[in-house]
Amino acid sequence: MTATGGATAAASGAGSNAAPGVTVRVPAKVNVQLAVGAARPDGFHDLANVFLAVSLYDEVTAAPAAELTVTCEGPDADKVPLDRTNLAARAAELLAARHGISPDVHLHIAKDIPVAGGMAGGSADGAGALLACDALWGLNSSRAELLEICAELGSDVPFSLVGGAALGVGRGEKLTELPVGGTFHWVFAVADGGLSTPVVFGEFDRLTEGVDVPEPAASPALLDALRTGDVAALAGALANDLQPAAVSLRPALNATLEAGTAAGALAALVSGSGPTTAFLVKDAEAADAVAAALIASGTCRTAHVAMSPAPGATVL
Ligand code: C5P
């Protein structure tokens, strides 16, 4: 939270004059495995999507207001839509409609997760707004009800609510939580500009035209590495079927991946649909060194260190 964009009439808990509000913290994700099947008739792709939540967070505050409004602060705030296309606004509308109430709420997003970066930043804001509005309006929705609304909002939104680690199948929304036996350290290199998820899936379709795309399946070696907390084994098992598509659309990502590897990362991959790149490292010290080397390389806009797993959406 370094810069401010948009009007920030928002309420958070700080200060005695603050309006009553509920703040929810929501993590970003990296896909440690993203296995993509052929395009389905509905345009979506069946996935075997192993999500891992990382300690890079957005905070969403919901406060009473005369009508639904959204504001945002953070380095990328100017790239966040403040209209009803914002998943946070849609979450408030869907929840209110279910309960026959009006979505009169001010949503303020303090954004640290890269925008359109392949780290589920928009999904995080959807899940965060949902939980914050549910608490503000005293609805006490069950976990199952919240997850149903999340799935309606987008394929990655249920995982933003749940956090930790999970296997997502179907279009990624049907989750099974996964055990994680240790802490993993990461560096995330943020690229200039985002990539549109539908465009990346479209490029995947183009690149796989005429190819017999296998049914997506989770890798037993990868699930084992997560369960045992074995960083070397995880490094060997990371896989993202969207990476060739992201790199085809943004060839400069190759230089970022190489810079992180040269700096000592155990493994490098594109995060989800990109263009953020993710580097798995041995420990916190290595994370600082790789982040500094990536920034010095000039192949990315900035780099963040983070740990996983991180908890899902949490009321502060
Ligand atoms: O579910 P969500 O709205 O996040 O998906 C955004 C877009 O990403 C979809 O419209 C689709 O083009 C693509 N997508 C896909 N297969 C998935 C998830 C997303 O093709 N499993």
Side-chain angles (χ1 to χ4, degrees):
M1 286 178 259
T2 47
T4 299
T8 50
S12 81
S16 55
N17 292 328
V22 177
T23 297
V24 172
R25 193 179 74 161
V26 202
K29 59 83 183 165
V30 60
N31 306 85
V32 285
Q33 185 190 1
L34 183 43
V36 182
R40 312 190 309 202
D42 66 1
F44 283 88
H45 297 70
D46 276 326
L47 306 177
N49 194 347
V50 183
F51 295 102
L52 188 59
V54 301
S55 62
L56 188 60
Y57 301 99
D58 280 0
E59 286 182 10
V60 183
T61 298
E67 59 177 352
L68 176 54
T69 49
V70 181
T71 53
C72 185
E73 69 178 281
D76 283 346
D78 57 330
K79 300 192 193 81
V80 175
L82 301 179
D83 59 12
R84 303 293 170 100
T85 62
N86 189 300
L87 280 185
R90 288 190 45 216
E93 286 181 322
L94 281 181
L95 183 67
R98 278 207 175 204
H99 292 270
I101 59 176
S102 186
D104 298 330
V105 65
H106 177 83
L107 297 169
H108 181 68
I109 302 166
K111 177 152 270 309
D112 262 354
I113 305 175
V115 176
M119 297 194 76
S123 300
D125 301 341
L130 188 64
L131 199 57
C133 289
D134 193 69
L136 183 72
W137 297 334
L139 300 175
N140 289 314
S141 300
S142 68
R143 192 82 164 162
E145 281 174 295
L146 293 176
L147 283 171
E148 208 178 294
I149 298 174
C150 285
E152 211 175 313
L153 286 167
S155 307
D156 288 351
V157 185
F159 180 72
S160 298
L161 189 75
V162 169
L167 170 64
V169 297
R171 57 186 170 85
E173 86 287 15
K174 293 181 195 137
L175 296 180
T176 307
E177 290 186 52
L178 296 171
V180 182
T183 302
F184 297 105
H185 295 264
W186 297 90
V187 180
F188 294 97
V190 181
D192 269 323
L195 272 176
S196 147
T197 304
V199 169
V200 176
F201 273 103
E203 182 68 358
F204 172 88
D205 292 340
R206 195 183 69 78
L207 293 176
T208 55
E209 219 173 320
V211 175
D212 196 13
V213 179
E215 287 290 309
S219 146
L222 180 117
L223 299 184
D224 252 17
L226 281 180
R227 189 176 48 75
T228 57
D230 183 335
V231 65
L234 184 63
L238 295 174
N240 179 2
D241 286 354
L242 288 182
Q243 181 157 323
V247 171
S248 163
L249 293 167
R250 196 67 72 77
L253 292 180
N254 275 325
T256 321
L257 293 165
E258 280 162 21
T261 308
L266 301 174
L269 85 169
V270 170
S271 179
S273 55
T276 305
T277 41
F279 302 87
L280 183 60
V281 294
K282 190 169 55 122
D283 53 26
E285 204 181 321
D288 287 339
V290 170
L294 277 163
I295 291 168
S297 75
T299 62
C300 60
R301 175 153 63 89
T302 185
H304 299 290
V305 302
M307 289 188 292
S308 61
T314 308
V315 177
L316 298 181

